[in-house]
Amino acid sequence: MPQHTAPVATFEKLKQYLESRPAAQRALVHLRRGVEISIVIGHQIECTLYNDNGKPTLEKRPAKNHDVVFYIKPESIEVLAQNPGEDVGELGILVLKEYLAGGVRIAVVGSVFNIMKNGYLNIVKEGGATFAKFLANYGLTNATKIISVIKSLRKEV
């Protein structure tokens, strides 16, 4: 789709993707009950992603209880939608590649303690060997180094 795609259509595409793909379900099941992930599409639409009894749910509203904000360009949603969404590791790699390309920005607004207790690190673990190998290519070989990156993302806020 062209870049001038209506923001609502982009939201609907992301909603359909996240709510229907096995990778999103396997990842979000680790989020603690009541914890949300904030997603901002193209600086225009605030969304909330959360685990609703084992089912990923995306709503068009500001997040109330979030530790992480993903700022996503509409073009990155188009790239994401091309991924089959079967494997958590592959999905994580795709999101990080979009981050490295500038299509996704990540801000940690919660404390490192909240990141640890609310299930985010378990999502990273769910990515398995595929995701771990990708992280290792960037020097992220253990939990201490991952926490260091989380702290640096906190400074972006």
Side-chain angles (χ1 to χ4, degrees):
M1 278 189 211
Q3 287 184 337
H4 64 274
T5 301
V8 173
T10 305
F11 166 79
E12 291 299 332
K13 181 170 276 196
L14 183 62
K15 179 177 178 65
Q16 191 280 329
Y17 182 85
L18 292 172
E19 291 183 357
S20 68
R21 302 299 163 89
Q25 181 179 1
R26 283 195 297 276
L28 288 180
V29 76
H30 294 288
L31 272 188
R32 191 169 175 184
R33 185 173 185 83
V35 174
E36 302 172 331
I37 295 173
S38 177
I39 299 175
V40 180
I41 302 171
H43 300 291
Q44 295 176 328
I45 297 179
E46 287 187 78
C47 313
T48 300
L49 178 64
Y50 61 96
N51 174 17
D52 183 13
N53 294 314
K55 182 183 180 327
T57 302
L58 184 69
E59 294 180 354
K60 196 184 309 177
R61 65 170 174 81
K64 298 173 191 155
N65 183 24
H66 62 287
D67 301 301
V68 179
V69 181
F70 286 84
Y71 298 92
I72 304 176
K73 293 181 179 179
E75 311 83 88
S76 292
I77 293 172
E78 295 298 326
V79 171
L80 180 69
Q82 302 303 311
N83 179 281
E86 299 291 327
D87 180 83
V88 175
E90 291 297 327
L91 182 57
I93 290 169
L94 180 63
V95 171
L96 290 180
K97 284 182 176 179
E98 285 301 303
Y99 173 81
L100 294 169
V104 172
R105 203 174 98 239
I106 304 168
V108 176
V109 296
S111 68
V112 172
F113 178 73
N114 280 353
I115 295 297
M116 292 169 55
K117 78 171 182 156
N118 286 337
Y120 297 97
L121 294 180
N122 290 331
I123 294 171
V124 172
K125 286 182 195 173
E126 184 71 32
T130 306
F131 194 58
K133 184 177 178 184
F134 181 82
L135 291 175
N137 288 336
Y138 292 90
L140 301 174
T141 54
N142 59 47
T144 303
K145 291 180 179 181
I146 292 171
I147 290 170
S148 176
V149 168
I150 291 168
K151 287 179 181 178
S152 73
L153 292 172
R154 232 179 125 24
K155 295 173 187 171
E156 289 185 15
V157 176

